[in-house]
Amino acid sequence: MKLSRLGEFGLIDRIRRMVSVGRGVRLGIGDDAAWVDHPQGSSLITADLLIEGIHFDLRWTSLADLGYKSLAVNLSDIAAMGGVPAYAMLSLGIPAHFDSKQLDELYRGINGLAKKHGVTVVGGDTNLADSLLISVCVVGHPPSKPIRRSGAHVGDDIYVTGTLGDAALGLALLRRKRLRQSPAMAQLRKRHHRPTPRLAAAALLAERNLPTAMIDISDGLIQDLGHICQASHVGATIQQDKLPLSNAYRALAGKIGMRCAMSGGEDYELLFCVAPHRRKRIEKLNRLAGVAISRIGVCMPFGNGVHVVDASGATIAVKAAGHDHFKRP
Ligand code: ADP
Ligand code: MG
């Protein structure tokens, strides 16, 4: 079958069926990170690949920002499990025209974020390539009970950290080369280039064992919520008017409206579900987490699918489902 029909997630599912699960694998393919046993305990492992021309464009991305982001997206997957990142392996495919100063720049971005979170680069691989390629693998320490995508129940509240759609709107505007100089644009651009892995909020949530399921939003709210729903065998109803938006988003979205907030990728906010009787505990966390936590919807029976409703409860059709590397409409 053509990959354009199978789609990224159909392909991953195929791969999952082709590999056998060995001993010591507590959680293999299908979550934000794998969780594996070793003689002294257990670890979380995650990997992400960034390719020039697909994930980034060096016309508007500095190498320092790119270094930062290539590590940040991996730390975000560790956060999504409630874990603490520790080590990184960093592999590079480098075009022949690059010089050493450019690599210094890339590592400046990586090191800044690594230091902030106590992550050490312990290895990787280096090769010549036609375009720049960055592959990062991060190993982290799990909390006592890693938070999977699969534990949500019907009736659980659905929450997100931070604000939605900023990174995707920033990218859309960068592509149009519009409004580059305004402070609002600078804020959106920063959200696109330097996403914040929500490690502190994730650790607080995991310590208190609050989320029944969690994922980081890399491919868009609706799509990533779909992953939780599929893994947990629940549906979901999201209230569009509850989606948290930044002032910069409100100022610049224009005709894009809510599209980036619902379906735009790369916000790297946490999306999680919590039993409704624990609402007060989440409200308390709101002050501790260093980032706003917003309740945006509720888990429904599986047959409901993922629904978005307006303030009156009427269903809103969501056109773009989110990011898939292979699928073509
Ligand atoms: P995320 O957006 O959180 O990085 P992905 O959608 O990239 O997650 O991946 C979903 C799951 O599929 C993860 O468990 C990941 O490890 C696994 N996965 C992705 N690509 C491959 C592959 N080529 N081989 C094996 N597992 C893969
Ligand atoms: Mg993820």
Side-chain angles (χ1 to χ4, degrees), residues 158-160 214-215 217 221 224-225 228 269-272:
I158 301 171
Y159 295 88
V160 284
M214 186 150 76
I215 191 170
I217 303 180
L221 169 70
D224 286 318
L225 179 57
I228 285 190
E269 295 296 348
L270 298 171
L271 171 67
F272 57 96

Side-chain angles (χ1 to χ4, degrees), residues 64 67-68 71 90 103-121:
Y68 173 101
L71 181 61
L90 218 143
L103 289 178
D104 292 351
E105 187 72 2
L106 185 79
Y107 273 86
R108 196 161 60 78
I110 294 165
N111 288 341
L113 185 65
K115 204 167 163 195
K116 183 171 174 197
H117 293 289
V119 173
T120 312
V121 177

Side-chain angles (χ1 to χ4, degrees), residues 1 3 6 9-19:
M1 190 191 287
L3 296 187
L6 192 58
F9 303 104
L11 178 61
I12 291 174
D13 203 43
R14 243 180 111 88
I15 294 171
R16 193 174 54 76
R17 282 182 270 121
M18 280 189 284
V19 300

Side-chain angles (χ1 to χ4, degrees), residues 198-321:
R198 299 296 183 193
L199 286 156
L204 287 170
L205 289 164
E207 264 165 36
R208 288 159 178 75
N209 204 9
L210 288 169
T212 52
M214 186 150 76
I215 191 170
D216 65 323
I217 303 180
S218 53
D219 298 331
L221 169 70
I222 300 301
Q223 183 152 304
D224 286 318
L225 179 57
H227 291 318
I228 285 190
C229 287
Q230 208 176 2
S232 298
H233 206 76
V234 295
T237 295
I238 293 298
Q239 273 177 269
Q240 193 185 53
D241 58 317
K242 295 270 173 72
L243 299 187
L245 303 179
S246 66
N247 289 335
Y249 186 102
R250 288 179 203 277
L252 298 181
K255 279 196 191 131
I256 287 175
M258 294 300 288
R259 204 170 69 229
C260 285
M262 292 209 283
S263 309
E266 299 201 303
D267 282 320
Y268 297 101
E269 295 296 348
L270 298 171
L271 171 67
F272 57 96
C273 306
V274 180
H277 70 271
R278 309 184 93 176
R279 224 174 253 183
K280 279 245 150 53
R281 297 199 62 191
I282 296 287
E283 279 164 21
K284 267 193 201 151
L285 261 196
N286 228 325
R287 287 186 289 275
L288 285 174
V291 61
I293 295 175
S294 310
R295 182 156 52 84
I296 61 168
V298 64
C299 292
M300 303 289 284
F302 186 69
N304 179 88
V306 175
H307 247 63
V308 182
V309 297
D310 66 15
S312 73
T315 298
I316 296 168
V318 183
K319 280 195 196 110

Side-chain angles (χ1 to χ4, degrees), residues 18-99:
M18 280 189 284
V19 300
S20 53
V21 177
R23 258 195 304 165
V25 179
R26 294 196 184 202
L27 193 55
I29 296 173
D31 219 300
D32 292 289
W35 179 28
V36 295
D37 280 335
H38 51 74
Q40 279 79 34
S42 69
S43 293
L44 297 170
I45 312 176
T46 185
D48 267 293
L49 178 62
L50 278 79
I51 302 172
E52 184 179 356
I54 295 185
H55 299 96
F56 58 88
D57 190 322
L58 291 175
R59 283 176 300 179
W60 56 67
T61 309
S62 75
L63 286 160
D65 282 347
L66 184 59
Y68 173 101
K69 188 165 175 175
S70 60
L71 181 61
V73 300
N74 281 274
L75 301 192
S76 177
D77 276 324
I78 297 290
M81 308 300 293
V84 178
Y87 309 108
M89 298 284 277
L90 218 143
S91 301
L92 299 175
I94 309 169
H97 63 80
F98 262 60
D99 64 34

